[in-house]
Amino acid sequence: MQLRQTNLRKLPEAEFDVLVIGAGINGASAAAALSGKGARVALIDRGDFAGSTSMHSSNLVWGGIKYMESGDFALVRKLCKSRNHLIRSYPSTVQEIRFLTTINKGFRHHPLYPWVGTWLYWLMGSGFTRRPHFLRASDIKAREPIIDTGDALGGFEYSDAYLHDNDARFVFNFVRGALDFGAVAANYVESLGSRREGELWVTRVRDVIDGDTFEVRSKVLINAAGPWVDQHNDLSGQQTEHRHVFSKGIHLIVPRLTEHRRVLAFFADDGRLFFVIPMGARTCIGTTDTRVDSPEVEVTDDDIQFVLDNINKRLALDAPLGTADIIATRCGVRPLAVKPSSGGERDFLNLSRKHAIDIDREARHLSIFGGKLTDCLNVGEEVVEAVERLGVAMPHPDYRWYGEPAASLRETFMHQARLMDLDTMTAAHASEPLSLRLWRRYGTQALEVLEDIRQDPRQGEVLIAGTEYLRGELKLTRRREMVTRLEDFLRRRSKISLVVPQDTIRTSPGLREACDILFGDQAQMRMDEYFADAPSPVDERLGEGT
């Protein structure tokens, strides 16, 4: 809480080069890019960082193979290059994974047709990943026995990538990077609207936690409010070329369905891709694609039944999945950028997630529409170029603002971890060695956790039953990650509430100590607040978000 309070005091005191409103993937990457190159940046979000669309993804980093069918090859090529760039830049976090796709009888194409498409996809991705393979039905069954191949004509296997942790954690690390570069960032700070005063934007904001209001001044204003971009532009009197239409998507988290670390892909009854995605000791299945008029959405019984029906039709499980198997749900909207003149109704299911940045040069205002995790580095670079054209100098234009720390720093950490036999402390249920996990989550800051464990071995103990979080990690989280509410930690800095049942979390003997570490004398209040608002597994609603 101290970090947030310090930043709240700074917001009204300075004149910033740029204020970014919204800390989803677009706002977080923009803030990291601008601050890394030397701009004075403020970043606010009316909820927690990554509290909306950016925490409800499929955790996939992919080149958009589905856009091949609609002929949007330029977008596919761009996204493939972005995927490759992320794999190179974040080798511990963004990792290649195989996709096994089954084609059943009645599909609109013979499996050889999309298989040829995977080769074109591989070539458009510069052959960066492993090559695709055509599979007969018997090959599919041999690779993945849980697939029902009774109606299968064949299939294929190809590669894309996924996030080893979770999407919200990936986004937060951009926010943390911006803070390290000198940005001032605060969650739970809502913009009430912005106005021009001379050469500056003046944005009236409210601290959602205590209700205080104050003003933030900036030369440039960036509206990165995700699904709420149009709403904030109305508050600030901005006219834009693009607008958003919304598609609701849900995922169900269930016990692990297969031991194999690959994504199973099918074509659902509505014709769109449908995934079974590994999530450590769990499996994530979905998604839906439902046109909605508002970004405020919730999981419905129909949504759940659609996912369950589709998965049970395609897998040969010992017993069909039912609502009792659901550990958690994810539910959010995809904001899709369209031009009003083009009409948002045409080919809705084929609308892409490509981003658009509308610029009002006279007012020095940017609006970011659409976007996805895969394209985040492009968004950051494009925002920097646009802000430079609006007259804001970048003192360090060539600075590389993204990526994991240098290999030499990683080796320093790993050497220290080996010297103290850190990996022997890995919990029996853990999905990977402790050293790899700490490095991926915290980079060079993981050295602080090592030091705490050296001084007190208890800091290396798992604190909350059924999770992979150590007591020492909680101390680092308190210092550096601006956890304001318990949900911020359980759902976004970690994925605990996605993979651990609520009853297990509630009764964990270490939960109260975790809250004591994170919130001090507010521990009981934050626990009561969380369990009063915590959704049931089949009723997780979209958060306040950006």
Side-chain angles (χ1 to χ4, degrees):
M1 296 291 284
Q2 182 177 350
L3 176 59
R4 181 175 182 272
Q5 292 303 316
T6 298
N7 281 6
L8 282 174
R9 288 193 294 271
K10 292 178 180 178
L11 283 171
E13 295 174 352
E15 178 186 304
F16 297 95
D17 292 324
V18 182
L19 170 62
V20 182
I21 297 173
I25 188 57
N26 289 338
S29 59
L34 289 164
S35 56
K37 293 178 182 292
R40 294 168 297 171
V41 176
L43 173 67
I44 60 172
D45 193 296
R46 73 176 184 178
D48 188 28
F49 307 120
S52 178
T53 295
S54 295
M55 75 172 190
H56 292 297
S57 78
S58 299
N59 278 0
L60 299 178
V61 176
W62 62 322
I65 193 171
K66 73 172 186 176
Y67 305 135
M68 299 276 291
E69 190 171 12
S70 58
D72 202 343
F73 298 119
L75 176 62
V76 173
R77 170 65 174 159
K78 181 180 180 182
L79 290 176
C80 283
K81 291 171 66 177
S82 299
R83 176 204 63 196
N84 299 348
H85 193 22
L86 283 172
I87 293 173
R88 285 190 297 262
S89 301
Y90 295 94
S92 300
T93 300
V94 183
Q95 299 174 348
E96 180 179 346
I97 192 170
R98 296 297 272 177
F99 282 62
L100 195 164
T101 304
T102 303
I103 304 296
N104 287 328
K105 297 174 184 177
F107 185 63
R108 56 186 178 271
H109 301 298
H110 188 277
L112 285 172
Y113 182 85
W115 173 65
V116 171
T118 64
W119 275 95
L120 179 58
Y121 186 62
W122 180 76
L123 291 170
M124 294 177 76
S126 304
F128 184 80
T129 60
R130 293 167 58 192
R131 295 179 180 181
H133 296 291
F134 180 78
L135 302 172
R136 296 171 299 178
S138 58
D139 299 325
I140 294 172
K141 195 69 173 178
R143 279 174 165 79
E144 197 57 75
I146 69 166
I147 296 177
D148 185 347
T149 57
D151 290 329
L153 293 174
F156 47 88
E157 197 171 54
Y158 68 98
S159 287
D160 258 313
Y162 86 127
L163 296 173
H164 194 100
D165 268 331
N166 65 328
D167 43 14
R169 176 82 212 178
F170 183 68
V171 173
F172 174 76
N173 283 340
F174 283 109
V175 177
R176 184 60 253 182
L179 288 165
D180 291 341
F181 296 140
V184 177
N187 50 2
Y188 298 101
V189 176
E190 178 184 17
S191 170
L192 303 177
S194 306
R195 67 184 187 277
R196 291 286 288 176
E197 285 189 3
E199 295 299 310
L200 296 177
W201 279 101
V202 179
T203 301
R204 188 77 178 167
V205 303
R206 180 177 71 92
D207 181 348
V208 174
I209 301 301
D210 63 18
D212 288 348
T213 61
F214 53 91
E215 293 179 336
V216 182
R217 287 170 167 75
S218 62
K219 296 175 182 175
V220 175
L221 185 67
I222 297 179
N223 180 358
W228 293 274
V229 164
D230 298 298
Q231 291 182 19
H232 195 273
N233 280 338
D234 288 342
L235 288 175
S236 303
Q238 281 290 305
Q239 301 294 317
T240 56
E241 182 180 4
H242 291 84
R243 66 179 177 87
H244 275 143
V245 295
F246 306 114
S247 167
K248 182 178 76 168
I250 79 154
H251 297 87
L252 307 182
I253 313 300
V254 298
R256 183 161 53 197
L257 300 179
T258 173
E259 296 295 323
H260 298 116
R261 183 179 162 272
R262 63 163 64 93
V263 175
L264 308 184
F266 307 93
F267 287 92
D269 291 345
D270 64 1
R272 76 184 307 272
L273 280 169
F274 186 85
F275 298 112
V276 176
I277 305 165
M279 185 183 279
R282 308 299 182 195
T283 295
C284 177
I285 54 177
T287 179
T288 59
D289 199 348
T290 310
R291 176 70 184 267
V292 293
D293 296 324
S294 167
E296 285 81 17
V297 293
E298 61 183 34
V299 178
T300 67
D301 291 342
D302 287 343
D303 296 329
I304 293 169
Q305 200 59 51
F306 174 86
V307 175
L308 292 176
D309 286 347
N310 273 279
I311 199 62
N312 286 325
K313 284 180 183 178
R314 290 158 176 83
L315 297 184
L317 301 173
D318 292 337
L321 287 174
T323 56
D325 298 301
I326 300 172
I327 297 167
T329 63
R330 316 179 87 174
C331 176
V333 294
R334 307 170 187 90
L336 307 171
V338 299
K339 294 182 179 180
S341 59
S342 68
E345 304 296 331
R346 186 173 61 87
D347 296 329
F348 172 72
L349 290 178
N350 289 324
L351 286 175
S352 77
R353 295 286 302 278
K354 61 184 176 184
H355 68 272
I357 302 177
D358 286 0
I359 303 172
D360 183 337
R361 298 185 183 280
E362 183 177 353
R364 298 206 284 187
H365 183 282
L366 278 68
S367 301
I368 308 177
F369 294 88
K372 57 189 298 176
L373 292 169
T374 309
D375 216 19
C376 61
L377 301 186
N378 290 328
V379 170
E381 294 290 354
E382 290 173 27
V383 166
V384 168
E385 292 175 7
V387 170
E388 281 188 300
R389 290 196 298 270
L390 296 178
V392 175
M394 299 293 154
H396 309 286
D398 298 324
Y399 184 78
R400 188 175 186 267
W401 53 274
Y402 56 85
E404 292 185 13
S408 60
L409 296 175
R410 183 182 189 277
E411 180 52 32
T412 296
F413 168 79
M414 290 298 178
H415 184 60
Q416 290 193 30
R418 287 190 295 268
L419 290 174
M420 59 190 295
D421 292 328
L422 182 71
D423 287 344
T424 63
M425 303 171 65
T426 305
H429 64 275
S431 58
E432 63 184 334
L434 184 53
S435 58
L436 293 179
R437 179 164 55 78
L438 292 179
W439 174 258
R440 185 181 64 254
R441 286 180 182 167
Y442 310 111
T444 54
Q445 300 304 318
L447 289 163
E448 296 183 27
V449 181
L450 294 189
E451 181 60 25
D452 285 343
I453 294 172
R454 272 193 291 264
Q455 293 184 18
D456 176 10
R458 293 180 66 254
Q459 301 305 313
E461 297 173 355
V462 172
L463 189 55
I464 302 175
T467 77
E468 298 182 22
Y469 273 80
L470 310 181
R471 185 176 279 106
E473 288 181 82
L474 271 293
K475 293 176 63 177
L476 183 65
T477 297
R478 178 192 63 203
R479 291 194 297 269
R480 292 182 52 82
E481 299 195 353
M482 214 176 294
V483 169
T484 304
R485 292 174 169 162
L486 183 54
E487 185 189 10
D488 303 343
F489 172 68
L490 293 178
R491 177 62 178 82
R492 287 177 286 276
R493 307 301 182 274
S494 75
K495 59 176 184 284
I496 290 173
S497 67
L498 285 178
V499 299
V500 179
Q502 282 292 323
D503 288 345
T504 302
I505 295 174
R506 187 189 301 269
T507 58
S508 171
L511 181 64
R512 176 54 196 255
E513 183 182 349
C515 288
D516 287 337
I517 294 171
L518 292 172
F519 306 116
D521 58 9
Q522 293 186 359
Q524 189 61 51
M525 179 184 73
R526 294 303 175 197
M527 284 182 63
D528 294 343
E529 173 188 69
Y530 175 77
F531 288 111
D533 296 338
S536 69
V538 295
D539 189 32
E540 178 181 342
R541 300 166 188 270
L542 184 66
E544 286 293 318
T546 52

